[in-house]
Every structure is written in structure tokens, then in C-alpha cells.
């Protein structure tokens, strides 16, 4: 029997699994899903994880949905199949960090990230109940391109892919990990005819973000000076990003799936750079180096960002700003 002929009742359609619901961002998605009435399975690995899920249950008891904990290992496909069984969809939000690395993300983590992405996608295609997967990728998987090869200002959007060689040359391991993880997910989805959407998210921000999410923030900003100079250093509020995930997932029921660039602010000048430095507690020099640019939009920058596709999808419910070319 073809897995896509599997019969699901209405209740199954509201059951999803999240590969990491315990990070700052993961918790925000879980809460958003609960508000929409979903049953959310949160993967746990340790007794500490279990205690954190139980605390989440108490904190979200008033929400419409409910939380379930499920034990699984992201490094074992069969373990993930068991965790996903009975779920209609999967939110692959997990990422990997190496606190001992200079930027919080070492070269070693690249292959781990790609392998887990492969495991998650294979488990999705092997689980009879699972119909779709929404993966959290990164804007870094789109924007690292060689501007010297371009004859004009180039738009970075959902069709753009970072240059793998460039990421290696600049030792941008976090960008490379996200790039390879997303590419392998798309390869499996295309080979298996499985429904996948990916959200290429900008730097996630919120109040006291460095306290909640220190290592990914530092890892993302490796190369921040160059991103700022190229006009592609962008951010997205954590609550906006969570809303985007739920909206895109629900639109997949209407055959609207694919790749989406997600940001709500581009750091185009000194004022925004100072604001980001204050918000992240990261030095201004690390964000914009010695570039003192007071222009709102510097048309001499080699790239500009566009989230036109996502903005169109979200406009009926959650209008978000869009920097168009």
C-alpha cells in the first residue's frame, strides 16, 4: 500500500512532532501550535528533557492543544519512525552547536547537521502517517555568494543558494551546515515525492536573545561584517518566525509548499546596527566592523534581500515587512 494512501481521521491531522521543542525558538513554535489546537509531540533524550517538557505542560495547560513527550534519537532513523508514527506532520527545528568552537559551531558539526536532516527525512518517508515536513533552515543557506562574479546588484530570494566552496573558504561552518542539511532534505523529498517546505530564517531576535539563545546567535554572526557590507544582514523576531512556521505548514494542506525566505528587518545603516548590538549584547564592531554607513538603503551594495514569496503567503493573516528589489 502506498504510504500516501494511508487513511487519517481529522484528529490525526492535528498531531505533529517537533524534533526540538526545548530550545528558545522550539518552545515558541510549540506554544504557537498549541494555540492552534495541535497535539505536539516533543522529542526527549534525557531525564532533564523530560522535566522541561513537564514544566511546559504546566505552563501551557490553558492552551487548546496538548503536549506529549516521546523518546527518540536523532541519530537513529528507526527511533524517529517510532516517534513520528501517528503524526500527520513533522517540524524539523533541531540544530547543532559546539560550545567549544570559536563561534559556537565547528567544522565537525556540519556533517552531524546534514546526517540528522537525512535521518529525519528518511523517517518521514518511512512513516505511514506522516504526510509533510516543515524544516527550519537559515538565510545563511541563501546569501553567501561571490559578488565578484556578478555584473549587477543581485536579489537574494527563495531561489538562491549559498556557494558551498565560498563557505568552506571563509570557514563559515554554521552556514555550510545549514546549506548541506537543507540540500539533502530537498534531495530526499524530490526522490520520494514527499511534501517538504523550508523556512530560510534570518538571525532570530527577541528581548535578551543572547541570554536565551547565545551560541546560535554568535554562530550566525560569524561573517557579520561582510553580511552588513553586502546588504544582507537581516533579523526576524522569534514570534514572527513561529507564526510563519504554523502558517506555512497549514498552507501545505492546500498544496502550497516550497522554500521561503523569512526576515522582518534588514540592517542597512548605523542606526539599525546599533539597535541590533544593543538587542543581542554583541559589540557593534562585530556587527558592522569599521563600516560607518548612515544611509537607509545603499544601492552600491552588491545584494538585496527579497521575501516576496513569503510576504504574499502571509499577507492575508500576518503582514510582515518586505524589502523588495
Amino acid at each position: 500500500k502506498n504510504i500516501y494512501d494511508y487513511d487519517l481521521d481529522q484528529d490525526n491531522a492535528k498531531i505533529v512532532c517537533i524534533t526540538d521543542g526545548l530550545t528558545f525558538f522550539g518552545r515558541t513554535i510549540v506554544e504557537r501550535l498549541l494555540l492552534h489546537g495541535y497535539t505536539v509531540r516533543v522529542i526527549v533524550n534525557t531525564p532533564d528533557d523530560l522535566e522541561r517538557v513537564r514544566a511546559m505542560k504546566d505552563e501551557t495547560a490553558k492552551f487548546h492543544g496538548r503536549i506529549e513527550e516521546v523518546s527518540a534519537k536523532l541519530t537513529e532513523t528507526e527511533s524517529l519512525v517510532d516517534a513520528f508514527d501517528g503524526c500527520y506532520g513533522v517540524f524539523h527545528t533541531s540544530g547543532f552547536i559546539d560550545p567549544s568552537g570559536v563561534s559556537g559551531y565547528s567544522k565537525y558539526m556540519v556533517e552531524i547537521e546534514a546526517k540528522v536532516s537525512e535521518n529525519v527525512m528518511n523517517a518521514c518517508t518511512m512513516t505511514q502517517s506522516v504526510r509533510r515536513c516543515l524544516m527550519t533552515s537559515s538565510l545563511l543557506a541563501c546569501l553567501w555568494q561571490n559578488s565578484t562574479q556578478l555584473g549587477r546588484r543581485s536579489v537574494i530570494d527563495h531561489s538562491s543558494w549559498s556557494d558551498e566552496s565560498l563557505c568552506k573558504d571563509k570557514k563559515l561552518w554554521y552556514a555550510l551546515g545549514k546549506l548541506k542539511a537543507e540540500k539533502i532534505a530537498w534531495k530526499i523529498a524530490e526522490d520520494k515525492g514527499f511534501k517538504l517546505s523550508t523556512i530560510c530564517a534570518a538571525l532570530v531576535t527577541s528581548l535578551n536573545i543572547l541570554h536565551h539563545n547565545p551560541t546560535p546567535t554568535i554562530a550566525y554572526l560569524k561573517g557579520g561584517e561582510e553580511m552588513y557590507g553586502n546588504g544582507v544582514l537581516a533579523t526576524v523576531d522569534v514570534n514572527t518566525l513561529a507564526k510563519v512556521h504554523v502558517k506555512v505548514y497549514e498552507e501545505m494542506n492546500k498544496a502550497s509548499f516550497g522554500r521561503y525566505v523569512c526576515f522582518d528587518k534588514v540592517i542597512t545603516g548605523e542606526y539599525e546596527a546599533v539597535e541590533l548590538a544593543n538587542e543581542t549584547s554583541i559589540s557593534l564592531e562585530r556587527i558592522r566592523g569599521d563600516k560607518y554607513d548612515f544611509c537607509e538603503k545603499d544601492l552600491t551594495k552588491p545584494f538585496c534581500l527579497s521575501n516576496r514569496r513569503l510576504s504574499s503567503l502571509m499577507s492575508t493573516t500576518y503582514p510582515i515587512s518586505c524589502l523588495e528589489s
Side-chain angles (χ1 to χ4, degrees), residues 106-126:
S106 64
K107 183 178 180 180
Y108 171 70
M109 307 308 294
V110 173
E111 298 308 320
I112 295 178
E113 185 119 34
K115 182 59 180 175
V116 167
S117 178
E118 180 180 13
N119 292 345
V120 168
M121 287 303 299
N122 281 332
C124 284
T125 63
M126 293 167 62

Side-chain angles (χ1 to χ4, degrees), residues 85-131:
D85 186 37
C87 293
Y88 191 81
V90 171
F91 285 74
H92 180 33
T93 57
S94 61
F96 296 87
I97 57 175
D98 180 9
S100 64
V102 174
S103 69
Y105 195 99
S106 64
K107 183 178 180 180
Y108 171 70
M109 307 308 294
V110 173
E111 298 308 320
I112 295 178
E113 185 119 34
K115 182 59 180 175
V116 167
S117 178
E118 180 180 13
N119 292 345
V120 168
M121 287 303 299
N122 281 332
C124 284
T125 63
M126 293 167 62
T127 308
Q128 284 191 321
S129 61
V130 175
R131 301 295 185 86

Side-chain angles (χ1 to χ4, degrees), residues 103 144 170-173 218-224 227 286:
S103 69
W144 284 106
K170 293 179 178 292
K171 295 181 170 53
L172 299 166
W173 307 128
I218 293 168
Y220 188 104
L221 284 171
K222 185 178 182 183
M227 285 189 277
R286 187 164 186 173

Side-chain angles (χ1 to χ4, degrees), residues 129-188:
S129 61
V130 175
R131 301 295 185 86
R132 53 186 52 89
C133 177
L134 179 59
M135 176 181 176
T136 309
S137 184
S138 174
L139 184 56
L140 298 180
C142 306
L143 58 77
W144 284 106
Q145 300 184 30
N146 194 337
S147 60
T148 62
Q149 297 175 356
L150 301 170
R152 56 185 176 81
R153 196 167 184 238
S154 180
V155 176
I156 303 294
D157 62 11
H158 60 275
S159 65
S160 305
W161 289 93
S162 289
D163 185 309
E164 189 169 323
S165 297
L166 186 65
C167 291
K168 290 178 180 177
D169 291 344
K170 293 179 178 292
K171 295 181 170 53
L172 299 166
W173 307 128
Y174 189 73
L176 184 61
K178 297 299 182 183
L179 174 64
K180 295 187 75 169
E182 190 184 355
K183 280 194 169 183
I184 198 165
W186 278 114
K187 184 179 187 306
I188 293 171

